[in-house]
Amino acid sequence: MSRCFNFSAGPAALPEAVLRQAQAELLEWNGTGASVMEVSHRGKAFMDLAAESERDLRDLLAIPDHYRVLFLQGGATQHFAQIPMNIARRDQVADYVLTGAWSEKAAREASPYTTVRVAASAQAGGYVGLPPAGQWRLDASAAYVHVVSNETIHGVQFSEPPDTGEVPLVADMSSDILSRPIDVARYGLIYAGAQKNIGASGLVVMIVREDLLARCPADIARIFSYAEHAAQGSLLNTPNTFGWYLASLVFKWLKAQGGVTAMAARNAEKAAVLYAAIDGSGFYRNPVDPAARSAMNVPFTLPRAELDEVFLRESREAGLLALKGHKLVGGMRASLYNAVPLEAVQALVAFMQDFARRHG
Ligand SMILES: *Cc1c(COP(=O)(O)O)cnc(C)c1O
């Protein structure tokens, strides 16, 4: 067996130690006589896992007591629609900040449930930076302001959350949650699909301020209501038990690595090594404003599009996986999530330098 260095944007690399533990426990988990997939989500063993995973996530992100943690399904995409359903009235506007493909999608999916207002957009520039501060037009009566903290496709990331005053800030953190410390108190609601920085697909982690749960309307199906999920401890129906279990292992792994502060330092180093190699190459190019560059997803292009196929084939042969860029942006993309070690980035840079020498 040979595991490669995996730069996939998602589903993405998992820590090898986590996979090994899951493998070791696959047939028999935690004294239950069965695998974690084969036991009741209402039994003591799984309920203990649920409680402990929440405690670990609360420790990792220093989540204040007046926030609830939910473990949901549907992918981040379902919550693009479900968030306005829960926390905006139909006669209210919701402010959206467009910084790339994911924030566009979020706005589109919200539009059947609220009046979407674009409060700021970097679309005209091709999403190579954040909208300049002076161009934001927030509506003080909006139900919430929605941002995507890290644009997985365009490689644009907020370094700090925007100040939205009294209006709750809602952030899709699918591709950068747990990659750095955050001040949860600056957000009303944080949500993230698990398959980038948490674990396997099919699980969504949500951190929501209690007062926003009070907005959830009583006349929507219970399965769509965040207040109902919170009241039932995320066990309103059968959760994604295996995904939740994998997330619990990743949370333990992160704690053992020194938590999100240690991860942030490593992630910054990984990104610095790769951006320096791109900028210094005279061959590769990343178009994003350096102040808004993502530490998680690094898109880059080659000088001639006909080299793309060669680069992909040779990188795959060198044991470097999934470098093909998203079709909206073209070129390549290296995703450097928590589970991607510095050695992977060093191997990528060495390959890129050799490739540039041979094709420059
Ligand atoms: C991957 C991703 C999504 C979509 O996640 P799904 O699980 O496919 O719904 C949404 N937002 C961001 C920022 C993402 O990176």
Side-chain angles (χ1 to χ4, degrees), residues 74-77 80 102 148 150 152 172 174-175 195-196:
T77 305
F80 291 164
W102 286 113
V148 174
N150 180 69
T152 320
D172 175 0
S174 292
S175 54
Q195 69 269 29
K196 280 86 184 226

Side-chain angles (χ1 to χ4, degrees), residues 7-318:
F7 300 94
S8 175
L14 280 163
E16 188 169 318
V18 165
L19 293 174
R20 287 194 186 283
Q21 185 174 346
Q23 181 183 44
E25 297 176 341
L26 190 65
L27 294 182
E28 202 278 312
W29 174 64
N30 202 18
T32 59
S35 83
V36 68
M37 286 171 282
E38 301 169 300
V39 298
S40 170
H41 55 292
R42 302 194 191 278
K44 183 174 181 331
F46 194 83
M47 299 277 276
D48 286 351
L49 177 151
E52 193 164 335
S53 63
E54 176 173 338
R55 275 199 299 278
D56 285 340
L57 183 65
R58 285 184 175 278
D59 286 353
L60 283 164
L61 290 176
I63 300 173
D65 289 344
H66 61 299
Y67 285 74
R68 298 293 299 269
V69 175
L70 306 181
F71 291 84
L72 304 170
Q73 301 183 59
T77 305
Q78 181 178 308
H79 296 277
F80 291 164
Q82 210 172 323
I83 287 166
M85 204 187 283
N86 274 274
I87 67 167
R89 294 191 317 265
R90 272 175 180 253
D91 62 342
Q92 260 183 319
V93 303
D95 273 346
Y96 278 73
V97 178
L98 303 187
T99 50
W102 286 113
S103 42
E104 278 186 5
K105 279 196 186 165
R108 193 184 320 129
E109 295 298 303
S111 61
Y113 303 101
T114 186
T115 303
V116 169
R117 193 177 158 277
V118 175
S121 173
Q123 186 186 34
Y127 295 129
V128 291
L130 295 167
Q135 292 175 14
W136 290 51
R137 299 281 177 269
L138 297 173
D139 183 336
S141 69
Y144 59 85
V145 180
H146 183 278
V147 296
V148 174
S149 59
N150 180 69
E151 288 281 357
T152 320
I153 292 172
H154 286 87
V156 171
Q157 186 175 29
F158 281 90
S159 54
E160 280 291 320
D163 183 2
T164 58
E166 294 297 302
V167 180
L169 177 62
V170 171
D172 175 0
M173 289 194 191
S174 292
S175 54
D176 69 353
I177 194 165
L178 293 166
S179 70
R180 56 182 178 177
I182 52 169
D183 180 0
V184 172
R186 295 192 56 183
Y187 301 86
L189 186 155
I190 292 165
Y191 64 112
Q195 69 269 29
K196 280 86 184 226
N197 243 340
I198 295 176
S201 63
L203 180 76
V204 168
V205 171
M206 183 171 287
I207 301 164
V208 53
R209 215 171 59 205
E210 270 169 354
D211 61 289
L212 294 179
L213 292 176
R215 294 186 184 182
C216 300
D219 61 354
I220 57 175
R222 290 178 73 213
I223 194 67
F224 294 139
S225 165
Y226 296 144
E228 288 287 346
H229 282 281
Q232 305 293 326
S234 304
L235 298 173
L236 176 61
N237 66 328
T238 317
N240 174 352
T241 53
F242 191 69
W244 198 337
Y245 157 79
L246 275 182
S248 79
L249 298 187
V250 170
F251 298 159
K252 293 277 184 227
W253 177 81
L254 283 170
K255 284 182 131 180
Q257 301 299 302
V260 291
T261 304
M263 292 320 298
R266 284 200 217 169
N267 289 329
E269 184 182 7
K270 281 151 43 185
V273 166
L274 183 52
Y275 283 114
I278 292 169
D279 293 341
S281 69
F283 186 85
Y284 304 103
R285 191 170 167 275
N286 168 280
V288 179
D289 169 10
R293 281 177 164 179
S294 168
M296 294 284 101
N297 309 97
V298 182
F300 60 91
T301 51
L302 279 59
R304 301 184 299 283
E306 64 268 23
L307 289 175
D308 287 3
E309 280 297 306
V310 189
F311 185 96
L312 286 170
R313 190 179 64 244
E314 291 186 0
S315 58
R316 179 68 188 80
E317 283 161 12

